[in-house]
Structure formats: C-alpha cells, structure tokens
Amino acid sequence: MSFRQTLSKIMSGLRLKEYTSSLFIRLLLGFTVVISFMVSFIWYSVVFYRGSLEEEVINHNTLNLQKTSENYDRLIDSIHSSILTFSLELEGTQDEVIDYSHAVSTMKKIRLLVSNRALYLDNLLLLSKDSGFAIEKGRGSDIETMFRRYYASPDYSVAFWQDQFSQPDKFRLLPESVFAERDDFGWTEEKKLLPIIMRNEGLPNFYLLAMVDADHMYKELGQSVNDYFYILNEQGQPIYNSSKRADIAFPKFPGPSGHVMKDNVYYFYKKGENGLTYVHLLPDRSISGQVRWNFSFVLLLVLTITFSVIVSLLISVRLNTPVKRIIHAIQMWNVPLTLESGIKEFNIIHDKINDILQTNRDIHQDMSNKESLLRYYAYSNMLKKIRFQDGSDLARVTEDRSFVLLLVQVSYKSKLSLLNVQEERATSFIREYVNRIIAQTYADSITFQMEMDQIVSIVFTDKNDPRIAQTLEQVHHMLETESEYCFFTLTASGGTEDWNEAYQTGLSQLKRRKFGCETQVVTADGTQDEDAGLSQAQEEELDANLYSGNAAPALQLVRRVLGKMSKRGQSAQSVLHFAESVVLRTQKSLQQRQIEPEPARVALADLQSCYTYEYLDEILSSMMERSSKLVRETVEKRDHIIDFVYDYLEQHYDKDITLDSIADKLNISRGYLSRYFKEKTGEYFVDYVNSVRINKAKKLLLHPDIRIQDAAQSVGYQNINSFNRMFKKLTGITPTEFRKNELH
C-alpha cells in the first residue's frame, strides 16, 4: 500500500469519526439501538413463553387453591378445638332446670370466645335437650323462641334444630344461610352465616352451634383471582358460595386435587382432610384471552416500532438543525475547546452558553440583591428619620411621588410555640403573603419587615385612592386564616411628604385598635377613647379594699370599669393601661403591709400576652384573690395599721409627723385612722406621738454635753417652748429638773 493510500485511509477514518460524533447521527443510532433491543426482547418473550402461558395460569390457580384449602383446614380445626375445649368448662347446662348464675357465667365465656377475631365467629349457641333452653353471647331463651325470633332463617326451621339432638354427627358444617331477628315489623339485622354443629361426648343431650362469618373468612383466607369459590361437603353439595350465584352442576372430581374442564370452565379442586372439597372456577376465556392478548400485543409492537422510527428521525432532524446554527454563531467569536464527550455540539453549547448564562445570572442577582437592600435601608431610614453620615436625608434615593403606608402589626398567641417556629421567622413568612396581595393591585409597591412584629408596605398612590381600603380588606381576609396562632392590626397612613410623620401617624393609629384577639383595620378618622377609668372616690375605695384584703368588692369595682370599656369599644392600650394601674395599686398595697408582691409581678407578666377580656378578668381576679389571701393571713398574725404606725414613728419621730401624712401612707382617711388607733391602743394618736418623742428626749438629756434645745430638735420639736410644755405635761417636771434629778 502506497503512502498516499495509507494517508487517505487515515483521513477517511478521521472524517468517519467526525461524522459519527454528530448529534444527529448519535440520536438516530441511539433510538435504533433502543428499538432493536425492545424488539428482540418482545420477540424472544412471544416465541419462548407463549406456549407455557396457559400452564403457568393453571399452576398459579392450583397453588392458590392449595393455599386456600390449607388456610381453611387450619381454621376449621382451630374452631373445632377451641369450641370443644370451651365445652369442657361448661357447668349447669345439662340440668332440667336452668341455673341462671351458671348461664350468665357461660354467656361471658361465649363473649370471650367470640371476641377472638382469628376464629371469625359471629356467635356461639349452646342448646340443651333436657331443659329446652338455648344460650348465646347476649341472651338466653327457649329453643323455639331463639330460632323463631332471634335466629330465624328461611332454610332452617325450629324443628330442624330440635331434630339435631337425635343426629349422630359430632362435627358437621351446614350450608350457609341468611339469619335475622324477626319482630312484628319484619326481619332486621340480616346476616349470612355458616352454621357448624359440634358435640361433646360427655354431654350427650347437648350440642353447640357455631355461627361463622363465612364472607369475612373468605376475604381473609381466600387466594383466588376471582370470586368463583365454593366449599362442598362430603356429599358434593355446596355449603358456601363466594359469588352468590345460583347452584351449578359440578363435575366429578377424581383424586384428591387437580382440575377438570367442563363447558369451557376450569374447575380447580382440592379435597381437605376434614371431608370438605374446595373448588375454584376459572372460565376458559380468562386463560385463552391472555394467550390471544400476546398476539394482539405483537401487532401493537409492530405499529409502535414503525411509529418510533419515524418519530426518532423527526426528532433527530429537529434537534440537529437549530443546534448546528447555534454552534455556528458561537464559533464566530470563540476559540475551539477540548472535547469532553463524544458529542462536540453538546460540549460547546454546555461550556459556552452555560458560562454566559451563569455569569449573566450572577450579575443580575447581585445587582438585584444590592438594589433591594439599598431600597430597604433607604425607606426604613426615611421612616425612622435616620440621616446619612454626611448629614443629608435619603430623599434622593427614594421616588418623589405621593405615597401611602400600609402598616401591619402582628400579635402572636402562645399556640405558635407548638409549631416550633420563631416569631421573627413567622413574620417574614407573613410578609411574603402580604406582599403578594398588595402587589396584585400595586405592582410597584415595596413591602418589608420594619420590626420583629411589624410589616410596612409602601404604595405609590394618592391618600384618597379607594383601592387602599379594598386592599386592606383583602389583606384582612387573608390574615384571618391564621387566627389560631396570631392576630393583626392594619392601618393606612399618608397624605404628607414627610416619611417620618406618615410613619409616626400610622404607629399612633395602630395603638387605637380595640381590645380583643380578632384582626382589625384601624382607620385614620377613628375617635379617641373616652376616659372610662376610676374616679377619685373609686380609687380610694379600691385602695381601701385592696389594703384590707377585700377581694370581692375590689374585683366588682374593676369589672364594672372593664364592662364599661368593653361597651365603648376602647383601645387595647387604654384597657391594658387601666389593668396595669390596678396591678400597680395591688402591688403598692402589698408592699405597704410588707408582703412580697408576687401576685402582682405574675399579673404584670401575664398582661404582656393578654388580648381578651376573659383572660384579663382571669388575670386580675386571680391576682386579687391571691393578694387578699396574703393580706388576710398577715392580718390574722398582727394588726398592720398599728404596727405600721409604731414602726414609722420609731424611725421618723424626728420628722414632721401628722395624722394626715400617716393616713396617706396607709391609703386610708384621716378620720378612720384616728378612730381605729384610739380603738386599738386606748390613746389618741397625737398623745402617742408626743410620748414617743419625750421618751427619746429623756435618753438624750442623760448626756450632759447635749443642750436641751438640741435634744428638742432631735426628737422633732422645733419650738423649745412647746417641748418644755409637753415634757412637763407628760413627766410632771421640766427638762432641766429631769436632767438635774437624773445626773445628781
């Protein structure tokens, strides 16, 4: 071979490789290979397995029937042994006179046995010849009543059941029949049951009748592919028929198991050890149809192959043409790349176009994130009136258009903790919902989370735009679906060029929401709350009751005010402010009695999550009752008013002390304190103050270096004459004489 021929062959081989690496050729070859494998597999299946299909179906049904018969044999043996064991425990059933205590015990045992679902028993009847009595799980009666009224059947008469006492069979399955309870209005509670008669040799005048739910038993134990299943007794008579068809003529079944074909029907049979024959019918058309189905499938396969080849060719052409154009356009400005796979077009498209698109996406995403972040900071800073470092505001960043702020305040309920979601994250989800609804009307709106529980939307429109109210109502309707976990306050604020002013106005409007746990829309023209708090007299009455531990009148007074607030629909801020004032008064009352104000602290904490009048009443009533109990317990130990006066004078005897000042500190009236002190101590308040001061002065006068005037001032007397006069009145001598007598 010459050098030229060798070179030509090599070049031809290279061109062949280049040609076969084309997308069009690869697609067409790929489709051809897949179609070829599919045809080979189907052809092999049809040729080698079509003849054995009928045999496989027969074997499958034979095995299913064998499994079914084994299941039935085991179950019937289990029923036989269980009931026979049960009959060994019977007492008092052979007597001519019924022992009702034994009968009740027997019924309990029957219920226990019937409750075993593995036996599929609907009931078990015990029939006694001597007493003529029958017992089942729920009742006992004579045999005639039992089978004429409670277990009436069109196939079995009362005489039939009475005649069974004379039959020798120890175990016998009777054909399935309908049993029902019969009354004056007809038959009720119909059931299809399979009766089984059993006898215990030790009880000759007695037999047991098991009522088996045969349909339920077939659903659990049957392995048939259809509902043509029969159970035949030793005489070849059907005792159970799953298809409920009319009686059919069964062929003779030679041998213990197998199948017989008669009138284009396969009769699969299996004779059990208990004398029963289990039969499954399968029409020949079911098997033949499956065989014919394979030939139909071959025809369908030919059509599918033809269609697949045509579609493969069309798809290859339609994909290859635009790809070649794209490659040509890309190669005009790009250098060739090393191939990473056998298809050069895919390598070029993947490496180049994907790089371009990815770079473009990265740039746009980065710009979008930065622009979104910049706008968020710009608007949030303008709303909060935060300036740049150079001192200028942010007006140059934001649009110079009319705007309206839509504010959404989120209040979370304690049930949110069950979702294991933090409040801040939940608010971000809610922000997305709010943004979607508002953007449907205002496409250029901006929605962001201003605080952990606050969402702000900026819509660029006029304040009087009627769509504002419609949008708020749409948001309201959507947010109401989350009422199980939170509630919301919505408002709109605008009509000004000052962003901070609009925001502060919106915050003020949010505070006017009515007290309650429902989502509310607060309008800008809402009325201010009227003062529904306590009057001066009511405050004194409340303080006196709190100090005295009288919870009932104090709570009644608070409830009257809360009822008035509820009628007027006052704001949550007003209601909670009033409740907080009541809590603080309770706290002050406890502190005055030197009692740890734990109930008030608990109430203050609970108020943070209080949003209904019912819960508020619960908080305040619990606090007042606990506080009242503490006061009563303390009062029983000592008199707080007298102790307070004593302790206060002991510490402040050198100050200006009056009856009015002490009464104010005790939150009681001057007259009440005067009468109470006189009644409890037997002396007037003023006399006691003077006696304390004079006693303190006596101790000071024992020091010769202390002047009398200084001693008088130290115990609260600013006028020396008043001190001398009071000293002599209480001691009978002057201060000078007292010092002289005591020091000499």
Side-chain angles (χ1 to χ4, degrees), residues 108-125:
K108 291 181 179 179
K109 294 178 181 178
I110 292 175
R111 285 195 292 271
L112 180 62
L113 179 64
V114 171
S115 65
N116 186 353
R117 297 186 178 181
L119 298 178
Y120 303 96
L121 292 177
D122 180 77
N123 208 339
L124 177 66
L125 286 79

Side-chain angles (χ1 to χ4, degrees), residues 197-216:
I197 294 177
M198 280 167 283
R199 287 183 173 81
N200 186 340
E201 292 181 353
L203 303 173
N205 295 327
F206 176 87
Y207 74 87
L208 298 93
L209 178 60
M211 295 294 189
V212 180
D213 189 345
D215 286 339
H216 186 200

Side-chain angles (χ1 to χ4, degrees), residues 607-655:
L607 286 180
Q608 304 303 315
S609 59
C610 179
Y611 36 78
T612 63
Y613 280 102
E614 292 78 8
Y615 186 35
L616 181 59
D617 182 85
E618 180 182 338
I619 292 173
L620 296 179
S621 60
S622 175
M623 177 195 68
M624 290 184 178
E625 288 171 0
R626 291 179 59 196
S627 300
S628 176
K629 182 179 179 182
L630 292 175
V631 170
R632 289 195 303 270
E633 290 175 352
T634 306
V635 169
E636 289 175 358
K637 296 178 182 178
R638 66 172 188 168
D639 191 323
H640 281 279
I641 295 180
I642 303 303
D643 287 347
F644 178 84
V645 173
Y646 286 167
D647 293 340
Y648 187 86
L649 290 177
E650 185 67 22
Q651 298 174 15
H652 303 89
Y653 59 88
D654 57 334
K655 303 294 189 299

Side-chain angles (χ1 to χ4, degrees), residues 465-581:
D465 187 349
R467 294 178 299 170
I468 292 292
Q470 298 173 3
T471 302
L472 285 177
E473 189 58 35
Q474 291 176 353
V475 175
H476 180 195
H477 179 72
M478 183 274 295
L479 294 179
E480 276 187 332
T481 59
E482 304 297 331
S483 60
E484 188 175 359
Y485 304 102
C486 53
F487 58 93
F488 306 85
T489 309
L490 294 78
T491 192
S493 174
T496 177
E497 296 180 357
D498 190 322
W499 291 82
N500 180 257
E501 180 183 349
Y503 180 60
Q504 294 300 327
T505 301
L507 294 180
S508 299
Q509 292 173 190
L510 289 176
K511 294 179 181 179
R512 294 209 306 267
R513 71 162 278 122
K514 296 180 181 179
F515 189 59
C517 61
E518 70 281 355
T519 296
Q520 302 177 17
V521 177
V522 181
T523 58
D525 56 353
T527 58
Q528 296 293 332
D529 287 344
E530 298 180 9
D531 185 13
L534 296 170
S535 63
Q536 182 66 32
Q538 288 175 326
E539 289 179 353
E540 293 180 0
E541 180 184 353
L542 178 61
D543 290 339
N545 286 321
L546 291 174
Y547 186 81
S548 302
N550 299 325
L555 185 59
Q556 184 179 7
L557 178 60
V558 171
R559 283 174 173 168
R560 284 203 303 268
V561 176
L562 290 177
K564 189 186 301 181
M565 287 183 164
S566 177
K567 274 186 180 179
R568 295 180 179 180
Q570 292 200 282
S571 67
Q573 186 180 31
S574 298
V575 175
L576 291 176
H577 178 73
F578 168 73
E580 185 177 353
S581 69

